Amino acid sequence: MEVVIAPAEELALLAADHIDKLLRRKPDAVLGLATGSSPLKVYDELARRHTEEGLSFAQARGFMLDEYVGLPADHPERYRNVIEKEIASRVGWAPEQVQGPDGLAEDLEEACVRYEQAIVDAGGVDVQILGIGTDGHIAFNEPGSSLASRTRIKTLTAQTREDNARFFDGDLDKVPVHCLTQGLGTIMSARHLVLLATGKQKAEAVHQLVEGPVSAMWPATIMQMHQHATVLIDDAAASRLQLADYYRQTYATKPAWQGL
Ligand code: F6R
């Protein structure tokens, strides 16, 4: 696991550079897309490069991590709509180039199976962008999630619903209770995981992710078992790390030829 500690703007540029290089090397790359605030600066930078530097997403595809169950199709906080607004529409993606779990399906279990198959049919995810919840969730794999889980329905914790109430006029009652989410096993099948986290409120979750024991109580810790996981964090999110100085030194002396 590589840990990079840098200001938020620099982290976003690092992630965007990495995706830029991937798309130029493999134009039909499959990108794993997170919602929430953590990846927004990365999406801004990718959109800028698309518009100003001709970075093409024409052959690329995107797969979302998760979706609320039951939000109406036109609800602005439905993750499909958020992804459309924050990235898909800005890089010229047609609707069929981006897929997510169908939180409006009549048969939710079948929708989850279909989604897993769609990812496999696309050849798997090349780079999965991730954020982390204050309780250590990735996608919506809440504490207690099976470390081998695949896409399925989950119940959001009170903590996550409180954290996300800011997107629903601060009204907890408006935050859905259920979601469909890629499982930890699904996420682990991606070829490269890139997690972004900023701010003090993420410090404990980041400490557990990087330095804690692998445990379903802190679902993101499964990333320690991935062969290629990159953790991009600012000083505040790094503030509880025991080995922060070592991660800083490692990054400062990293060979120039080695990308993320
Ligand atoms: C969203 C997702 C979540 C968020 C996490 C952090 O698709 O999968 O795991 O990444 O809740 O959210 P932010 O980035 O808003 O702090």
Side-chain angles (χ1 to χ4, degrees):
M1 179 179 282
E2 178 174 29
V3 179
V4 179
I5 304 171
E9 286 68 29
E10 206 175 310
L11 300 174
L13 284 184
L14 276 176
D17 266 348
H18 184 68
I19 293 170
D20 186 324
K21 284 198 189 94
L22 170 69
L23 285 171
R24 291 183 200 274
R25 189 176 74 241
K26 184 181 180 189
D28 60 350
V30 178
L31 307 181
L33 307 168
T35 39
S37 23
S38 302
L40 291 181
K41 287 193 171 76
V42 182
Y43 296 159
D44 286 347
E45 178 62 15
L46 290 174
R48 190 194 66 73
R49 289 178 191 213
H50 172 71
T51 312
E52 294 175 16
E53 295 171 10
L55 179 63
S56 174
F57 288 74
Q59 296 175 54
R61 271 164 303 166
F63 282 89
M64 294 162 46
L65 278 175
D66 40 17
E67 181 59 275
Y68 291 117
V69 168
L71 279 190
D74 61 352
H75 195 292
E77 292 308 325
R78 188 173 168 241
Y79 277 177
R80 187 68 187 78
N81 298 333
V82 173
I83 285 293
E84 183 63 28
K85 177 168 142 247
E86 300 296 353
I87 177 87
S89 64
R90 301 165 77 196
V91 299
W93 257 333
E96 61 276 10
Q97 283 176 278
V98 180
Q99 297 189 54
D102 183 1
L104 285 171
E106 246 174 62
D107 185 339
L108 292 170
E109 279 189 58
E110 199 260 327
C112 292
V113 172
R114 235 184 316 126
Y115 193 57
E116 284 280 328
Q117 192 56 48
I119 297 173
V120 171
D121 291 347
V125 170
D126 288 300
V127 176
Q128 176 63 60
I129 305 287
L130 295 163
I132 186 168
T134 55
D135 63 2
H137 69 234
I138 49 173
F140 274 141
N141 293 283
E142 298 285 28
S145 289
S146 154
L147 298 177
S149 48
R150 311 303 302 193
T151 303
R152 68 216 183 288
I153 188 166
K154 286 294 286 182
T155 305
L156 297 173
T157 60
Q159 177 71 61
T160 298
R161 292 184 66 237
E162 269 167 40
D163 288 348
N164 287 7
R166 69 190 193 278
F167 297 116
F168 292 83
D169 313 318
D171 184 350
L172 194 57
D173 292 336
K174 289 187 184 164
V175 185
V177 172
H178 293 113
C179 63
L180 301 185
T181 180
Q182 284 192 30
L184 294 170
T186 321
I187 293 167
M188 289 291 285
S189 301
R191 286 181 272 283
H192 183 193
L193 307 180
V194 176
L195 183 141
L196 293 121
T198 54
K200 196 147 187 83
Q201 74 282 7
K202 299 289 174 74
E204 176 62 17
V206 166
H207 164 60
Q208 294 291 338
L209 153 67
V210 179
E211 297 174 336
V214 174
S215 158
M217 280 305 286
W218 291 93
T221 56
I222 191 63
M223 287 175 62
Q224 293 176 27
M225 308 287 284
H226 199 284
Q227 288 190 341
H228 193 181
T230 307
V231 175
L232 304 176
I233 49 179
D234 70 355
D235 280 328
S239 59
R240 294 226 44 220
L241 290 176
Q242 262 170 259
L243 299 183
D245 288 346
Y246 173 61
Y247 308 134
R248 285 195 175 92
Q249 182 203 342
T250 305
Y251 187 62
T253 55
K254 183 172 166 145
W257 51 264
Q258 208 180 30
L260 282 186

